[in-house]
């Protein structure tokens, strides 16, 4: 709006009595408590937003740089397969197609869902009626690839229902179930019990029992592992506000890794909103895991071969390309010469052509042209 010049006050005959100053209207004065509430709300926002921004920035920086030239596939990768492979739905033609799909991928272990376990640790043989057929078919079509029984269950750690590892009889039954699947021809036992809280000594005792069985039969013992605290003690802090603390301490991860032949990090469902911050998170998880995994244990980083879009897993951010690059960065920075290292796609029935392409392009060493 254009401003006008101020007018001179009238004098003489044109002068008029000045108007009295208006009085302040009651109720317009701001109350002190309103000011303090607004300041408190601002402080809460800053306490929440600033750390989150700092974390996301740090993860994005962690995704920068180039992986080492040696940070490519060691031909020691694994893959989770669904239950259809052992319940009668798959046929010989499916195994042939799987062999073509896995050709030149470096995948040498298949974790085939053959459960779930009952809450008491037992495993009905009716859960895997076609196991022997699958094992023979894989050996025929994919020489050198091992087939492991993927066994899991829900733990009663955050609710009344589920498996209770604090019961010795339950742990003994799980060990018996492991012996049972090995007798059926499986070349390893892959255990996935969730949600498993950090520092669970009963879980460590279970692994000790399972290791005795797998070693006696020259078989693999592998586990699916929760992610590691991105910040020290974060699982403890998270446990104060949520039933599911999500992460393991790095110390506990190392204790688990020393008891198994293979440990596969479920490095997805991270709630990261950007592809760069997800990749930086995987790079961090890879480094944290490498630091405490002995060189005699095979470390695998999980890849999201599926698409979801919700608060815990943003599909546009959690891409296979970002996960592969993040794993390569973590490997390059922490232990570039590690031989027992690989990637593990989850899961076959949800995989897209894009997932497979990004896995091969990012992880397989480029051929000389």
């Amino acid at each position: 709006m254009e401003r006008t010049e101020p007018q001179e006050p009238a004098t003489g005959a044109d002068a008029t009595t000045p108007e009295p100053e208006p009085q302040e209207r009651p109720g317009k004065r701001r109350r002190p408590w309103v000011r303090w509430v607004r300041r408190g709300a601002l402080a809460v926002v800053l306490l929440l937003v600033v750390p989150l921004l700092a974390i996301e920035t740090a993860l994005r920086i962690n995704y920068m740089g180039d992986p080492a030239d040696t940070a490519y596939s060691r031909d020691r990768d694994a893959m989770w397969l669904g239950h259809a492979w052992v319940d009668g739905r798959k046929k010989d033609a499916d195994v042939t197609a799987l062999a073509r799909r896995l050709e030149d991928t470096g995948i040498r272990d298949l974790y085939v869902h053959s459960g779930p376990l009952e809450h008491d640790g037992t495993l009905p043989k009716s859960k895997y009626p076609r196991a022997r057929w699958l094992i023979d078919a894989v050996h025929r079509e994919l020489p050198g690839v091992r087939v492991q029984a993927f066994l899991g269950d829900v733990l009663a750690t955050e609710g009344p229902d589920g498996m209770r590892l604090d019961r010795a009889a339950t742990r003994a039954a799980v060990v018996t179930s492991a012996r049972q699947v090995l007798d059926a021809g499986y070349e390893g036992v892959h255990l996935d019990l969730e949600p498993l809280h950090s520092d669970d000594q009963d879980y460590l005792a279970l692994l000790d029992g399972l290791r005795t069985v797998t070693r006696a039969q020259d078989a693999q013992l592998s586990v699916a592992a929760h992610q590691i605290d991105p910040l020290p003690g974060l699982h403890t802090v998270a446990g104060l506000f949520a039933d599911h603390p999500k992460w393991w301490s790095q110390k506990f991860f190392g204790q688990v890794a020393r008891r198994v032949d293979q440990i596969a990090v479920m490095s997805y469902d991270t709630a990261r909103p950007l592809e760069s911050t997800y990749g930086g998170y995987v790079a961090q998880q890879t480094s944290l895991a490498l630091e405490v995994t002995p060189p005699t244990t095979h470390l695998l980083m999980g890849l999201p071969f599926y698409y979801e879009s919700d608060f815990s897993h943003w599909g546009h951010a959690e891409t296979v390309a970002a996960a592969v690059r993040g794993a390569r960065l973590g490997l390059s920075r922490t232990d570039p010469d590690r031989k027992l290292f690989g990637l593990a796609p989850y899961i076959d029935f949800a995989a897209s052509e894009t997932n497979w392409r990004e896995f091969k392009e990012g992880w397989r060493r480029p051929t000389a042209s």
Side-chain angles (χ1 to χ4, degrees), residues 20 29 32 52 74 81 88 93 103 130 146 152 155 209 228 251 254 261 278 302 324 343 353 357:
R29 187 174 183 179
L52 287 175
R74 276 86 165 120
L81 300 185
E103 187 177 3
R130 296 270 285 168
R146 290 179 296 210
L155 296 177
I228 303 173
K251 177 183 177 181
D261 299 299
Y278 171 61
V324 171
L343 303 181
E353 290 298 327
R357 176 177 52 77

mmCIF file of all heavy atoms in Angstrom, residues 20 29 32 52 74 81 88 93 103 130 146 152 155 209 228 251 254 261 278 302 324 343 353 357:
data_model
loop_
_atom_site.group_PDB
_atom_site.id
_atom_site.type_symbol
_atom_site.label_atom_id
_atom_site.label_comp_id
_atom_site.label_asym_id
_atom_site.label_seq_id
_atom_site.Cartn_x
_atom_site.Cartn_y
_atom_site.Cartn_z
ATOM 1 N N PRO A 20 -9.332 12.285 22.905
ATOM 2 C CA PRO A 20 -8.597 11.646 24.015
ATOM 3 C C PRO A 20 -7.987 10.326 23.544
ATOM 4 O O PRO A 20 -8.479 9.669 22.650
ATOM 5 C CB PRO A 20 -9.688 11.411 25.064
ATOM 6 C CG PRO A 20 -10.958 11.338 24.287
ATOM 7 C CD PRO A 20 -10.792 12.296 23.144
ATOM 8 N N ARG A 29 -4.270 -8.279 27.330
ATOM 9 C CA ARG A 29 -2.934 -8.508 27.850
ATOM 10 C C ARG A 29 -2.614 -10.006 27.842
ATOM 11 O O ARG A 29 -3.424 -10.798 28.322
ATOM 12 C CB ARG A 29 -2.827 -7.952 29.261
ATOM 13 C CG ARG A 29 -1.413 -7.996 29.800
ATOM 14 C CD ARG A 29 -1.344 -7.299 31.131
ATOM 15 N NE ARG A 29 0.012 -7.278 31.634
ATOM 16 C CZ ARG A 29 0.366 -6.710 32.781
ATOM 17 N NH1 ARG A 29 -0.566 -6.108 33.530
ATOM 18 N NH2 ARG A 29 1.620 -6.738 33.173
ATOM 19 N N PRO A 32 1.012 -14.737 31.225
ATOM 20 C CA PRO A 32 2.371 -15.319 31.280
ATOM 21 C C PRO A 32 2.394 -16.807 30.993
ATOM 22 O O PRO A 32 3.325 -17.303 30.361
ATOM 23 C CB PRO A 32 2.816 -15.008 32.709
ATOM 24 C CG PRO A 32 1.983 -13.847 33.138
ATOM 25 C CD PRO A 32 0.667 -14.013 32.449
ATOM 26 N N LEU A 52 16.914 -35.885 15.350
ATOM 27 C CA LEU A 52 16.547 -36.671 14.178
ATOM 28 C C LEU A 52 17.232 -36.141 12.924
ATOM 29 O O LEU A 52 17.736 -36.910 12.101
ATOM 30 C CB LEU A 52 15.030 -36.661 13.991
ATOM 31 C CG LEU A 52 14.222 -37.507 14.989
ATOM 32 C CD1 LEU A 52 12.731 -37.311 14.761
ATOM 33 C CD2 LEU A 52 14.588 -38.984 14.856
ATOM 34 N N ARG A 74 31.821 -62.371 -2.829
ATOM 35 C CA ARG A 74 32.783 -63.436 -2.570
ATOM 36 C C ARG A 74 32.205 -64.798 -2.981
ATOM 37 O O ARG A 74 32.768 -65.831 -2.653
ATOM 38 C CB ARG A 74 33.116 -63.508 -1.079
ATOM 39 C CG ARG A 74 34.206 -62.532 -0.626
ATOM 40 C CD ARG A 74 33.645 -61.168 -0.289
ATOM 41 N NE ARG A 74 34.638 -60.406 0.448
ATOM 42 C CZ ARG A 74 35.168 -59.246 0.065
ATOM 43 N NH1 ARG A 74 34.782 -58.708 -1.090
ATOM 44 N NH2 ARG A 74 36.056 -58.617 0.795
ATOM 45 N N LEU A 81 13.917 -68.619 1.290
ATOM 46 C CA LEU A 81 12.860 -69.119 0.412
ATOM 47 C C LEU A 81 11.612 -69.420 1.229
ATOM 48 O O LEU A 81 11.694 -69.817 2.394
ATOM 49 C CB LEU A 81 13.303 -70.397 -0.311
ATOM 50 C CG LEU A 81 14.544 -70.326 -1.213
ATOM 51 C CD1 LEU A 81 14.744 -71.662 -1.920
ATOM 52 C CD2 LEU A 81 14.427 -69.202 -2.229
ATOM 53 N N GLY A 88 4.578 -79.020 -1.127
ATOM 54 C CA GLY A 88 3.926 -79.679 -2.253
ATOM 55 C C GLY A 88 3.522 -78.765 -3.381
ATOM 56 O O GLY A 88 3.116 -79.249 -4.454
ATOM 57 N N ALA A 93 9.867 -78.270 -12.440
ATOM 58 C CA ALA A 93 10.058 -77.107 -13.316
ATOM 59 C C ALA A 93 10.404 -75.849 -12.517
ATOM 60 O O ALA A 93 11.151 -74.982 -12.993
ATOM 61 C CB ALA A 93 8.798 -76.863 -14.146
ATOM 62 N N GLU A 103 21.754 -68.525 -11.261
ATOM 63 C CA GLU A 103 22.996 -68.675 -12.028
ATOM 64 C C GLU A 103 23.800 -67.384 -11.991
ATOM 65 O O GLU A 103 23.278 -66.294 -12.221
ATOM 66 C CB GLU A 103 22.667 -69.040 -13.473
ATOM 67 C CG GLU A 103 23.883 -69.387 -14.307
ATOM 68 C CD GLU A 103 23.492 -69.809 -15.719
ATOM 69 O OE1 GLU A 103 22.292 -69.769 -16.039
ATOM 70 O OE2 GLU A 103 24.393 -70.176 -16.491
ATOM 71 N N ARG A 130 7.856 -82.382 1.586
ATOM 72 C CA ARG A 130 8.606 -82.499 0.328
ATOM 73 C C ARG A 130 10.072 -82.070 0.488
ATOM 74 O O ARG A 130 10.746 -81.746 -0.491
ATOM 75 C CB ARG A 130 7.940 -81.651 -0.742
ATOM 76 C CG ARG A 130 6.537 -82.115 -1.115
ATOM 77 C CD ARG A 130 6.584 -83.116 -2.247
ATOM 78 N NE ARG A 130 6.859 -82.451 -3.524
ATOM 79 C CZ ARG A 130 7.185 -83.107 -4.638
ATOM 80 N NH1 ARG A 130 7.315 -84.417 -4.615
ATOM 81 N NH2 ARG A 130 7.397 -82.449 -5.758
ATOM 82 N N ARG A 146 23.846 -75.382 -0.668
ATOM 83 C CA ARG A 146 23.325 -76.071 0.502
ATOM 84 C C ARG A 146 21.882 -75.668 0.770
ATOM 85 O O ARG A 146 21.490 -74.514 0.538
ATOM 86 C CB ARG A 146 24.168 -75.756 1.739
ATOM 87 C CG ARG A 146 25.549 -76.367 1.731
ATOM 88 C CD ARG A 146 26.345 -76.000 2.958
ATOM 89 N NE ARG A 146 26.610 -74.572 3.044
ATOM 90 C CZ ARG A 146 27.692 -74.048 3.637
ATOM 91 N NH1 ARG A 146 28.594 -74.846 4.174
ATOM 92 N NH2 ARG A 146 27.864 -72.747 3.675
ATOM 93 N N GLY A 152 11.404 -71.004 12.604
ATOM 94 C CA GLY A 152 11.165 -69.822 13.414
ATOM 95 C C GLY A 152 9.930 -69.971 14.269
ATOM 96 O O GLY A 152 9.187 -70.947 14.172
ATOM 97 N N LEU A 155 8.253 -65.370 19.864
ATOM 98 C CA LEU A 155 8.627 -65.512 21.266
ATOM 99 C C LEU A 155 7.653 -64.768 22.167
ATOM 100 O O LEU A 155 7.112 -63.723 21.785
ATOM 101 C CB LEU A 155 10.039 -64.975 21.496
ATOM 102 C CG LEU A 155 11.180 -65.713 20.792
ATOM 103 C CD1 LEU A 155 12.504 -65.018 21.072
ATOM 104 C CD2 LEU A 155 11.238 -67.167 21.234
ATOM 105 N N GLY A 209 23.399 -75.512 22.719
ATOM 106 C CA GLY A 209 22.840 -76.847 22.529
ATOM 107 C C GLY A 209 22.732 -77.215 21.064
ATOM 108 O O GLY A 209 23.032 -78.350 20.667
ATOM 109 N N ILE A 228 21.815 -53.884 15.095
ATOM 110 C CA ILE A 228 22.651 -53.483 16.226
ATOM 111 C C ILE A 228 22.355 -52.041 16.602
ATOM 112 O O ILE A 228 22.046 -51.211 15.739
ATOM 113 C CB ILE A 228 24.143 -53.643 15.864
ATOM 114 C CG1 ILE A 228 24.425 -55.091 15.453
ATOM 115 C CG2 ILE A 228 25.038 -53.241 17.013
ATOM 116 C CD1 ILE A 228 25.831 -55.315 14.910
ATOM 117 N N LYS A 251 27.618 -55.900 21.817
ATOM 118 C CA LYS A 251 28.217 -56.986 22.596
ATOM 119 C C LYS A 251 27.421 -58.277 22.435
ATOM 120 O O LYS A 251 27.995 -59.354 22.222
ATOM 121 C CB LYS A 251 28.289 -56.586 24.069
ATOM 122 C CG LYS A 251 28.825 -57.683 24.981
ATOM 123 C CD LYS A 251 28.802 -57.241 26.434
ATOM 124 C CE LYS A 251 29.266 -58.371 27.360
ATOM 125 N NZ LYS A 251 29.216 -57.958 28.785
ATOM 126 N N GLY A 254 27.876 -59.913 19.082
ATOM 127 C CA GLY A 254 29.124 -60.652 19.041
ATOM 128 C C GLY A 254 29.032 -61.984 19.765
ATOM 129 O O GLY A 254 29.610 -62.990 19.311
ATOM 130 N N ASP A 261 27.704 -70.607 12.754
ATOM 131 C CA ASP A 261 28.517 -70.629 11.540
ATOM 132 C C ASP A 261 28.187 -69.461 10.625
ATOM 133 O O ASP A 261 29.062 -68.950 9.917
ATOM 134 C CB ASP A 261 28.287 -71.947 10.784
ATOM 135 C CG ASP A 261 28.683 -73.164 11.598
ATOM 136 O OD1 ASP A 261 29.866 -73.285 11.957
ATOM 137 O OD2 ASP A 261 27.795 -73.990 11.900
ATOM 138 N N TYR A 278 18.965 -44.628 4.234
ATOM 139 C CA TYR A 278 18.873 -46.078 4.401
ATOM 140 C C TYR A 278 20.203 -46.731 4.033
ATOM 141 O O TYR A 278 20.715 -47.589 4.768
ATOM 142 C CB TYR A 278 17.755 -46.652 3.540
ATOM 143 C CG TYR A 278 17.753 -48.167 3.499
ATOM 144 C CD1 TYR A 278 17.590 -48.918 4.670
ATOM 145 C CD2 TYR A 278 17.963 -48.856 2.306
ATOM 146 C CE1 TYR A 278 17.619 -50.310 4.641
ATOM 147 C CE2 TYR A 278 17.983 -50.245 2.276
ATOM 148 C CZ TYR A 278 17.817 -50.965 3.442
ATOM 149 O OH TYR A 278 17.848 -52.334 3.408
ATOM 150 N N GLY A 302 21.218 -58.676 5.132
ATOM 151 C CA GLY A 302 19.961 -58.925 4.444
ATOM 152 C C GLY A 302 19.593 -57.825 3.460
ATOM 153 O O GLY A 302 19.892 -56.645 3.677
ATOM 154 N N VAL A 324 22.828 -52.709 -1.108
ATOM 155 C CA VAL A 324 24.068 -53.281 -1.634
ATOM 156 C C VAL A 324 25.218 -52.287 -1.521
ATOM 157 O O VAL A 324 26.317 -52.619 -1.052
ATOM 158 C CB VAL A 324 23.889 -53.725 -3.104
ATOM 159 C CG1 VAL A 324 25.229 -54.110 -3.716
ATOM 160 C CG2 VAL A 324 22.915 -54.892 -3.198
ATOM 161 N N LEU A 343 25.744 -61.310 1.020
ATOM 162 C CA LEU A 343 24.444 -60.659 1.095
ATOM 163 C C LEU A 343 23.361 -61.730 1.040
ATOM 164 O O LEU A 343 23.570 -62.818 0.502
ATOM 165 C CB LEU A 343 24.271 -59.667 -0.058
ATOM 166 C CG LEU A 343 25.330 -58.571 -0.164
ATOM 167 C CD1 LEU A 343 25.023 -57.649 -1.340
ATOM 168 C CD2 LEU A 343 25.440 -57.768 1.134
ATOM 169 N N GLU A 353 11.794 -58.039 -10.683
ATOM 170 C CA GLU A 353 12.920 -58.007 -11.620
ATOM 171 C C GLU A 353 13.890 -56.886 -11.254
ATOM 172 O O GLU A 353 15.110 -57.019 -11.418
ATOM 173 C CB GLU A 353 12.411 -57.827 -13.048
ATOM 174 C CG GLU A 353 11.682 -59.043 -13.603
ATOM 175 C CD GLU A 353 12.570 -60.273 -13.680
ATOM 176 O OE1 GLU A 353 13.803 -60.113 -13.927
ATOM 177 O OE2 GLU A 353 12.060 -61.389 -13.479
ATOM 178 N N ARG A 357 17.907 -57.226 -10.614
ATOM 179 C CA ARG A 357 18.834 -56.436 -11.419
ATOM 180 C C ARG A 357 19.749 -55.599 -10.532
ATOM 181 O O ARG A 357 20.975 -55.555 -10.758
ATOM 182 C CB ARG A 357 18.043 -55.530 -12.380
ATOM 183 C CG ARG A 357 18.933 -54.593 -13.203
ATOM 184 C CD ARG A 357 18.113 -53.768 -14.174
ATOM 185 N NE ARG A 357 17.012 -53.069 -13.532
ATOM 186 C CZ ARG A 357 17.133 -51.959 -12.809
ATOM 187 N NH1 ARG A 357 18.329 -51.394 -12.644
ATOM 188 N NH2 ARG A 357 16.068 -51.385 -12.270
#
